[in-house]
């Protein structure tokens, strides 16, 4: 499957550093989880296969985030990788890493 990352997230994935995602870059377990999640996204042939990886907690989002999906980076953190599925090309576009998904307001 093709994975496209833009801006700060692409910088984080390629260099391991990002101003926007500084907390992720400085936490080795979170970075390992991000790399593992992206590797899994690249390895599956369709997004329905993500359900086979229970630790990812793949879900299609509802309400104000309708049309987006998410997977968990690690069981230790609440960080979620939120992305948009493109049905015509089976392409994922990585949107953001969100730690407020479950109401964790800082």
């Amino acid at each position: 499957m093709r994975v496209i990352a833009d801006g700060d997230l692409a910088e984080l994935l390629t260099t391991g550093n990002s101003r926007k995602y500084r907390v992720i870059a400085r936490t080795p377990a979170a970075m390992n989880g991000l790399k593992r999640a992206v590797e899994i996204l690249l390895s599956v042939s369709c997004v329905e296969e993500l359900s086979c990886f229970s630790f990812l907690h793949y879900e299609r989002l509802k309400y104000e985030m309708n049309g987006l999906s998410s997977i968990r980076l690690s069981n230790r953190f609440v960080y979620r990788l939120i992305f948009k599925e493109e049905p015509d090309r089976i392409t994922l576009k990585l949107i953001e890493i969100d730690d407020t998904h479950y109401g964790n307001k800082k």
Side-chain angles (χ1 to χ4, degrees):
M1 180 170 297
R2 190 170 153 216
V3 176
I4 300 171
D6 293 329
D8 294 319
L9 191 52
E11 180 183 357
L12 178 64
L13 290 170
T14 56
T15 65
N17 291 315
S18 171
R19 183 171 248 182
K20 183 176 180 181
Y21 301 116
R22 188 175 306 143
V23 175
I24 301 290
R26 292 181 180 171
T27 310
M31 274 303 291
N32 290 338
L34 175 63
K35 290 176 183 176
R36 180 182 63 170
V38 171
E39 287 173 5
I40 291 171
L41 289 174
L42 289 168
S43 70
V44 297
S45 59
C46 64
V47 288
E48 286 75 26
E49 291 180 20
L50 293 174
S51 299
C52 297
F53 300 94
S54 62
F55 59 90
L56 290 177
H57 298 276
Y58 166 73
E59 64 180 336
R60 289 197 170 137
L61 303 176
K62 301 183 229 177
Y63 308 113
E64 66 271 356
M65 298 189 98
N66 193 19
L68 299 175
S69 298
S70 71
I71 56 176
R72 187 179 293 174
L73 294 184
S74 173
N75 286 333
R76 291 179 50 198
F77 304 105
V78 293
Y79 298 119
R80 309 276 298 175
L81 185 61
I82 299 173
F83 55 90
K84 183 177 181 181
E85 300 172 25
E86 294 182 14
D88 59 336
R89 286 184 261 151
I90 308 178
T91 302
L92 300 177
K93 184 173 182 181
L94 306 178
I95 302 293
E96 65 178 309
I97 296 175
D98 184 16
D99 63 351
T100 61
H101 181 71
Y102 293 110
N104 299 348
K105 306 295 183 198
K106 292 185 178 183

